Amino acid sequence: MRLSLASLFIKSPFEELQRHADKVKECAKLFKQAAACHVSEDCESFDLLTEQVARMESEADDIKRRIRNHLPRGILMPVDKFQFFQYLREQDKVIDEVEDAMFWLSFRPRGVPHEIATDLIHLVDSVIPPIDKLPDLVAMATEYFRSRSEAQRNKMKSLIRDIRQDEREADHLERELKFKIFSSIKDPLIVFHMIRLVEIVGDIADHAQNASDRMRAMIAK
């Protein structure tokens, strides 16, 4: 099938990627509120926050599908299309894991054991910064691919290093919390629930870092 010249220069997919990143960041903010709310065991808005996150995840999926389904074959892009889709996939997994973590919190309506409540909040707090940086990364990429400025590229590399450092700190907290769960909680059912929850929260930072690594590949020379 021959493509028209106009179809080669349609609206940049980075605009939709920015909307997706903004949605992910907004969702992370709600996740932080919901986790604090759930741990306090005195919160009536947890279910409402869970519904809001689920709706945003659905909206993010719609954006993802629009990007995938409306990108014509043969479109001229400043980056490898495969790498672009890999970035989108990892960014989307961030919001998927946030939604999953919300569901796992809801499986235990009575909150979390007091021995680890503060540590869990610290872990949740630690995965927010790398998510917050994703919209900035996409905005910087949009500018970089327009200007090809070396200074802009260096700013992106610095931000990507910051995200990697955020992930390492979250990973450290995840390991410490797992050790504390096994050493302080005796009920095997609670241990299973908390370990799985902690792993999912840790995966949020992992996917944010994976996304930044894909962006690093897109700007590599």
Side-chain angles (χ1 to χ4, degrees):
M1 182 179 69
R2 301 184 62 181
L3 295 169
S4 68
L5 185 61
S7 70
L8 298 177
F9 297 96
I10 64 170
K11 186 170 63 175
S12 168
F14 275 87
E15 292 180 25
E16 288 283 42
L17 192 64
Q18 185 71 60
R19 291 191 185 91
H20 187 276
D22 292 342
K23 194 71 68 179
V24 172
K25 179 177 178 178
E26 194 176 353
C27 204
K29 183 179 176 183
L30 293 177
F31 173 50
K32 182 177 179 177
Q33 293 176 17
C37 162
H38 189 77
V39 166
S40 73
E41 299 184 43
D42 183 25
C43 174
E44 297 178 353
S45 60
F46 181 79
D47 289 343
L48 177 61
L49 291 167
T50 302
E51 290 173 8
Q52 288 179 307
V53 168
R55 188 181 68 251
M56 287 185 186
E57 192 278 336
S58 177
E59 292 170 355
D61 273 348
D62 289 342
I63 296 172
K64 180 182 66 178
R65 278 191 289 272
R66 280 203 302 273
I67 294 173
R68 286 177 172 172
N69 298 338
H70 298 284
L71 205 58
R73 184 184 303 175
I75 181 177
L76 296 178
M77 290 184 65
V79 297
D80 182 280
K81 193 187 293 186
F82 179 70
Q83 290 178 333
F84 179 84
F85 284 140
Q86 279 191 321
Y87 176 88
L88 174 62
R89 177 175 177 272
E90 290 298 331
Q91 185 169 273
D92 194 63
K93 278 186 173 293
V94 171
I95 200 168
D96 287 344
E97 297 290 358
V98 167
E99 184 185 35
D100 205 16
M102 295 282 286
F103 288 144
W104 273 83
L105 278 170
S106 72
F107 295 158
R108 185 177 164 80
R110 290 174 296 173
V112 301
H114 65 86
E115 303 97 312
I116 59 169
T118 301
D119 300 272
L120 180 63
I121 291 300
H122 287 163
L123 178 62
V124 170
D125 288 346
S126 75
V127 304
I128 303 301
I131 303 174
D132 284 347
K133 291 181 177 74
L134 292 178
D136 295 338
L137 187 61
V138 174
M140 293 169 77
T142 303
E143 175 57 31
Y144 170 70
F145 289 119
R146 185 163 43 228
S147 67
R148 294 290 178 179
S149 159
E150 189 61 24
Q152 185 72 4
R153 181 169 175 270
N154 288 334
K155 286 181 183 176
M156 292 180 69
K157 289 167 66 178
S158 176
L159 187 61
I160 290 167
R161 284 194 292 272
D162 290 345
I163 292 174
R164 196 171 297 145
Q165 180 60 33
D166 290 337
E167 191 279 336
R168 278 197 286 266
E169 291 172 10
D171 201 37
H172 176 70
L173 291 175
E174 179 186 344
R175 284 196 300 273
E176 285 194 334
L177 184 49
K178 282 181 175 177
F179 179 80
K180 191 168 185 178
I181 290 169
F182 279 118
S183 60
S184 63
I185 299 175
K186 305 304 178 189
D187 186 323
L189 189 60
I190 297 177
V191 169
F192 170 75
H193 176 256
M194 294 309 306
I195 290 292
R196 186 70 192 106
L197 174 62
V198 166
E199 287 177 340
I200 294 170
V201 175
D203 286 346
I204 294 171
D206 291 342
H207 287 298
Q209 181 193 308
N210 291 345
S212 71
D213 286 344
R214 300 302 185 272
M215 187 64 81
R216 179 72 180 83
M218 282 194 276
I219 64 172
K221 291 185 176 178

